[in-house]
Structure formats: C-alpha cells, structure tokens
C-alpha cells in the first residue's frame, strides 16, 4: 500500500519543485543538482548548515559527505535518526569551490528556507556553524562564543547554534572543553528539547 502523503509533505514537495527550477541567483549556473533538504516534515528540530558541497551537489542530498557522516554519528550518539529531524542549508545550490555562500545569495535563497520552516514549524532550529548562525540571527558573532545557547527567534522558536561538522573534522580530541566534547554536550541539549516536546504531545517524532 502506498503511504498517504501528509499536507506538510505535499507543501514541501511544492517548494521543492520551485527550488529545482530556481535561477534566482548565480549559483544556479554552476550547480549539478539543487539540494532541497530532507527529513521529517513534522520534525521538532531542523538542522541548518551553510551550503551544499561537492557530494551534496552530485547527489542532491544534504550532508552526505564526510561532514554529513559525522553529523549522522552525532545524531546517533543520542539515539536520533536522520529521518526524524529535518536537515537543510542556507542555500540550495553549491557555491563553486565550496566557498562560503555570499550574503546576497543567502538572502536570495531565504524565501525557500523560510517556507520550509513555516511548513515544518520546528520548535528548535539548530544552526550548524558560524555562517548559518550569523545569517539567521542577523548578527556576526563567533560560533565558539554562542554555541550551546538557546536563543529566542521569531514567534516562539529557538535557535541553538552548534559547530559545523566540517569544523569538527579538524579536531580529533574528545577531551572536556574540546569542540567535539562541546558538541556532544550540545546534542544532548537538543535531545532533551525533543523529548520535552514529545512528552507534551506536541510532535510526531
Ligand atoms: S541558491 Fe537558492 S536562490 Fe540561488 S539558484 Fe539555488 S535555489 Fe535559487
């Protein structure tokens, strides 16, 4: 039997179709595939990274390279499956040479992310790395200073910045105070939020 598609999934599919045809910014000229994002349309938590890289551009899926595998492992460390959260980026097309997306590109692409957030309606938005954090908060602040803090954001939502997995790949130490250790602390906070929301009966995760 074909599983029924929820209203949220249908709405996300409509946004995806728009993204696939989008030529609003120059990144459309060099992409192989758009990377819409993937996961649970009812997710309590959305993870938002910077931009698709080479592997993501090839496959059309977010966070599938080395950094993506690390993100998956970070989620698994608190018994979270990728399919239970929603994973996206600030831009849907790969910046050439994996450069950071320009502010005007993120602005141009933001209506899609905004629409995804509106449909999914997550309680928590985990920004991965300084670029997506600064963009959504509209404020430049060092990720090492702001990670692990719950920050009020638009209409009752919260932003929770964490290190980007590609940054963590540079550090192997898991000693207290190291970026990997801090990330392990952070993901436990994320899991606590999910558990609280589910306990209150406000999510389908
Ligand atoms: S990055 Fe976003 S705005 Fe730019 S072409 Fe891709 S989908 Fe369109």
């Amino acid at each position: 039997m074909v599983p029924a598609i929820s209203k949220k999934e249908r709405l996300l599919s409509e946004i995806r179709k728009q993204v696939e045809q989008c030529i609003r910014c120059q990144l459309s000229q060099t992409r192989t595939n758009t990377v819409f994002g993937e996961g649970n349309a009812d997710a309590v938590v959305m993870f938002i990274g910077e931009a698709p890289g080479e592997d993501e551009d090839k496959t059309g899926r977010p966070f599938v390279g080395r950094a993506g595998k690390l993100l998956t492992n970070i989620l698994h460390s608190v018994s979270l499956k990728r399919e239970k959260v929603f994973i996206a980026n600030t831009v849907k097309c790969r910046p050439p040479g994996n450069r950071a997306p320009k502010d005007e590109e993120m602005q141009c692409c933001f209506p899609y992310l905004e629409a995804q957030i509106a449909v999914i309606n997550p309680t928590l938005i985990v920004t991965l790395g300084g670029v997506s954090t600064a963009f959504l908060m509209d404020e430049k602040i060092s990720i090492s200073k702001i990670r692990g803090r719950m920050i009020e954001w638009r209409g009752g939502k919260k932003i929770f910045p964490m290190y980007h997995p590609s940054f963590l790949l540079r550090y192997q130490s898991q000693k207290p105070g190291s970026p990997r250790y801090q990330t392990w602390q952070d993901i436990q906070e994320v899991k606590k939020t999910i558990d609280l929301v589910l306990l209150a009966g406000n999510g389908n995760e």
Side-chain angles (χ1 to χ4, degrees):
M1 201 168 82
V2 182
I5 294 187
S6 71
K7 185 179 174 198
K8 283 187 173 191
E9 285 167 338
R10 187 169 45 73
L11 289 170
L12 287 176
S13 158
E14 282 166 18
I15 305 165
R16 179 194 287 272
K17 281 183 202 147
Q18 290 173 28
V19 166
E20 283 168 355
Q21 293 169 11
C22 181
I23 49 169
R24 276 194 207 163
C25 85
Q26 59 182 355
L27 298 182
S28 64
Q29 294 166 20
T30 47
R31 75 183 177 217
T32 309
N33 289 296
T34 54
V35 182
F36 179 70
E38 65 184 25
N40 181 359
D42 284 309
V44 173
V45 178
M46 273 181 84
F47 288 79
I48 300 178
E50 186 176 310
E54 191 178 2
D55 293 314
E56 290 76 19
D57 179 62
K58 271 188 202 150
T59 59
R61 295 184 56 214
F63 282 90
V64 289
R66 281 180 70 219
K69 289 196 176 87
L70 181 54
L71 176 61
T72 304
N73 290 339
I74 291 167
L75 295 173
H76 284 175
S77 75
V78 288
S79 305
L80 268 180
K81 290 185 182 157
R82 274 177 72 112
E83 313 85 76
K84 295 294 180 188
V85 300
F86 199 94
I87 303 172
N89 284 296
T90 57
V91 290
K92 312 296 186 201
C93 304
R94 180 195 182 201
N98 286 357
R99 66 162 168 77
K102 295 176 185 169
D103 195 54
E104 63 264 29
E105 292 161 350
M106 291 191 283
Q107 293 290 354
C108 208
C109 208
F110 188 52
Y112 298 126
L113 181 58
E114 214 173 14
Q116 285 174 305
I117 294 170
V119 170
I120 297 166
N121 193 25
T123 302
L124 192 62
I125 294 172
V126 175
T127 48
L128 295 169
V131 172
S132 60
T133 302
F135 179 68
L136 285 190
M137 290 183 54
D138 198 20
E139 185 185 345
K140 287 227 180 324
I141 183 161
S142 158
I143 186 69
S144 61
K145 289 203 170 68
I146 203 169
R147 59 137 282 275
R149 283 205 236 155
M150 287 284 176
I151 300 153
E152 296 295 326
W153 190 75
R154 286 186 180 189
K157 301 207 184 316
K158 289 189 171 68
I159 285 184
F160 187 74
M162 287 176 53
Y163 288 122
H164 195 287
S166 62
F167 170 77
L168 295 175
L169 287 172
R170 294 186 234 150
Y171 298 91
Q172 291 310 314
S173 170
Q174 298 188 13
K175 286 184 186 163
S178 66
R180 284 199 182 224
Y181 185 86
Q182 290 172 328
T183 297
W184 177 70
Q185 291 176 307
D186 293 346
I187 197 67
Q188 291 186 74
E189 285 303 311
V190 172
K191 182 67 165 57
K192 268 188 222 163
T193 300
I194 293 174
D195 289 345
L196 281 173
V197 171
L198 295 182
L199 198 64
N202 294 329
N204 291 334
E205 214 149 319

